[in-house]
Amino acid sequence: MPRTLPSAILAAHTADSAKEGDICSVRVDFAFANDITAPPAMRAFREMGARKVFDPARCAILPDHFTPNKDIAAAQQAKEARDFARETGMLYWEVGRVGVEHAFLPEQGLILPGDIVVGADSHTCSGGTLGAFATGMGSTDLAATWALGETWFLVPPTIRVDFEGTRAPWITGKDFILALLGRIGVQGARYAALEFGGGAVKDLPLDDRFTVANMAVEGGAKAGIFVPDETVLAYAKARGRRPFEAIYPDEGASYAQRIEIDAAALEPLVAAPSSPGNMRRAAELSGTKVDQVFLGSCTNGRLRDMELAAKLLKGRRVADSVRCIVIPASYEVFAECMKRGYLDIFIAAGAAVSTPTCGPCLGGHMGILAAGERCLATSNRNFVGRMGHPQSEVYLAGPLVAAATAVTGHITDPRELVSGDFWKTL
Amino acid sequence: MAETENRNNQASPRGTRLEGNAWKFGDDIDTDVIIPARYLVTSDAAELGKHCMEDADPAFVSKISEGDFIVGGENFGCGSSREHAPLAVKGAKVSCIIAASFARIFFRNAINVGLPIFISPEASAKIQPGDRLSVDGVAGIITNLTRNETYAVAPFPPFLQELIATGGLAPYVKKRLAAQEQAVSA
Ligand code: SF4
């Protein structure tokens, strides 16, 4: 039976027949939690009577949400998680050597093509960029995986999404995914897996693909997996900590739905409050004043995002009325931004730059919003209260819209701000 | 101790008869509304329960009575993977959630923490705020005592029924680990 990519990966990890709609037990290649989701997982792990994890080199805890510890309660939680990691011998990296989990783990070569990866964090689906079946689950499910090295999945139907046509230089991965979410809505892929491909992917930088896969869960999808290409294989070979075998969809596989997005027709997009599916053109929202711009998160805190924003901000100033907060998503991105002079550009423009953390993305710390305040963020969720007070508002966009908005103080299509020559430099 | 008190994997979620009043919410109720991230410095159900649904209705917890029901629309529990969401609902002493559909991670989490959930598009559409409901988890029937109506509940796949019958994921894993250990020592 010809298989779609998600179902082929599941089938390669199970002894069950793994027909669509079947529940099957699969081997897991990598399983992780963060400082918020680890403590309940640790508790469930002990309750299960488990004493050791299935393979310490394939299990990890990453302190990224409320770290560097934002208050005493967060510090207690982070300490508990750290102690547990030491006790079980699983992978753990301290503040200063880590990053937001979904940016950091691929850099470390721990998420590889053909893998099944589970994380106690919904944006684990980011790993789909590298051709892995990567999905979020709760803490108890994660604990079971730590104990057994296995989990159960219902083999989902697959929706195939093809990005076609030639993308303009002002179009980023964020516009691809916001266009898709605008089309299918926040439950358009509920219980399904997305398989991404098409001619426009080839020249889409890997960092932009991460943005697309990252927000698969915003459409309700279990996973969002790119068909691996040379770019992915080269990245995985250069960084991989273990051998891997890429998996591809079979010819003639049957899809629940096929969607085509014309990249050539895209314009810079924004998701307006309070749903990632509430798609608008940035130009349409021009005049919407903002109090804060946040550039960072596991969605758009990678080097390419920093590069685009830095290029646009070079020689410009953040508007007096705006707080612009820049948070590279991993220490590697941070260090590279420093080397390339991006941090100088951000600081000269009047932005606040922070060490890697989830920070304001989930309303944790480092940029919480007051009642009535409005933020344009490059993160992935704009739910009510997501970044602070329930009466604050979040707009989502890519790094170019974010940088342009920081300069003008209102939501801005970057084309309004820069000349034609600028686009040749990207 | 508190650690074992606030989890309840022993409860058979659908095995009991539940009765309470309906509190209605719309589609796409996300986990940030169910329990805002600012309260995630603990995973204690009772503590989280104090803030359940706060960003949708700040007075929710003070208005409900023990055993009441949350009735949602489509895609209930979308968003984050935080198990704190079903724990908060349990901690608020809500007896179960009825919705037209659930987001997948929330669905798994609810089963794993022993929060009963029922999928019924019909019930979700017809139940009005304040209706008195009773649910028979074994028969899979929701009765609307106010309107004299009954609604069918979509059954869980056999694997999940088995998992629930074992008492949830924790006892299931415990059994598997014990079997592994026996095999090793034999
Ligand atoms: S950056 Fe935001 S979305 Fe990503 S893992 Fe952190 S809190 Fe979650």
Side-chain angles (χ1 to χ4, degrees), chain A residues 23 25 36-37 39-40 43-51 66 70-71 73-74 77 80 119-122 135-144 147-148 150-154 186-187 190-192 217-218 220-223 274 362-364 381 383-386 388-390, chain B residues 2-4 6-10 27-28 30-33 36-45 54-56 74-76 78-84 87 100-105 107-109 111-113 119 157 159-160 163 169-177 180-181:
Chain A
I23 288 181
S25 176
I36 294 180
T37 58
R43 238 173 16 224
F45 187 81
R46 291 188 184 112
E47 209 179 299
M48 288 164 184
R51 280 185 300 275
F66 290 160
K70 78 178 179 95
D71 56 25
Q77 223 172 225
E80 251 185 84
D121 191 282
S122 59
T135 190
M137 44 175 45
S139 295
T140 303
D141 269 317
L142 199 256
L148 300 173
E150 286 174 12
T151 190
W152 64 268
F153 285 123
L154 191 140
V186 291
Q187 42 168 316
R190 188 160 37 80
Y191 294 123
V217 66
E218 264 56 71
K222 187 176 223 161
S274 308
L362 80 161
R381 288 190 177 136
F383 300 149
V384 170
R386 173 72 179 178
H389 197 282
Chain B
E3 290 199 355
T4 40
N6 61 24
R7 299 181 49 84
N8 188 9
N9 282 319
Q10 309 308 321
D27 290 343
D28 305 319
D30 62 74
T31 48
D32 280 271
V33 158
R38 56 186 178 275
Y39 301 119
L40 300 185
V41 289
T42 174
S43 44
D44 180 86
E54 189 174 288
D55 285 359
E74 298 281 358
N75 206 22
F76 191 95
C78 62
S80 136
S81 70
R82 60 187 71 151
E83 206 162 285
H84 310 68
L87 280 178
S101 63
F102 289 89
R104 59 165 282 274
I105 305 180
F107 177 89
R108 287 180 82 125
N109 286 347
I111 289 175
N112 289 342
V113 305
I119 301 169
F159 170 81
L160 287 187
L163 195 72
L169 190 60
Y172 169 85
V173 175
K174 201 171 191 165
K175 236 167 78 181
R176 291 255 328 246
L177 288 176
Q180 273 177 17
E181 252 173 51

Side-chain angles (χ1 to χ4, degrees), chain B residues 98-177:
Chain B
I98 298 166
S101 63
F102 289 89
R104 59 165 282 274
I105 305 180
F106 186 91
F107 177 89
R108 287 180 82 125
N109 286 347
I111 289 175
N112 289 342
V113 305
L115 171 70
I117 52 173
F118 300 93
I119 301 169
S120 175
E122 192 196 359
S124 162
K126 292 195 174 158
I127 293 168
Q128 294 303 314
D131 283 0
R132 186 90 190 151
L133 308 175
S134 120
V135 171
D136 183 335
V138 177
I141 291 170
I142 301 168
T143 307
N144 190 328
L145 303 168
T146 307
R147 284 165 213 284
N148 245 328
E149 293 171 343
T150 58
Y151 321 110
V153 170
F156 285 157
F159 170 81
L160 287 187
Q161 288 182 19
E162 208 184 296
L163 195 72
I164 292 164
T166 320
L169 190 60
Y172 169 85
V173 175
K174 201 171 191 165
K175 236 167 78 181
R176 291 255 328 246
L177 288 176

Side-chain angles (χ1 to χ4, degrees), chain A residues 27-56:
Chain A
R27 273 180 297 106
V28 171
D29 296 292
F30 197 73
F32 63 95
N34 59 51
D35 52 313
I36 294 180
T37 58
M42 287 145 41
R43 238 173 16 224
F45 187 81
R46 291 188 184 112
E47 209 179 299
M48 288 164 184
R51 280 185 300 275
K52 50 186 197 350
V53 295
F54 76 101
D55 180 350

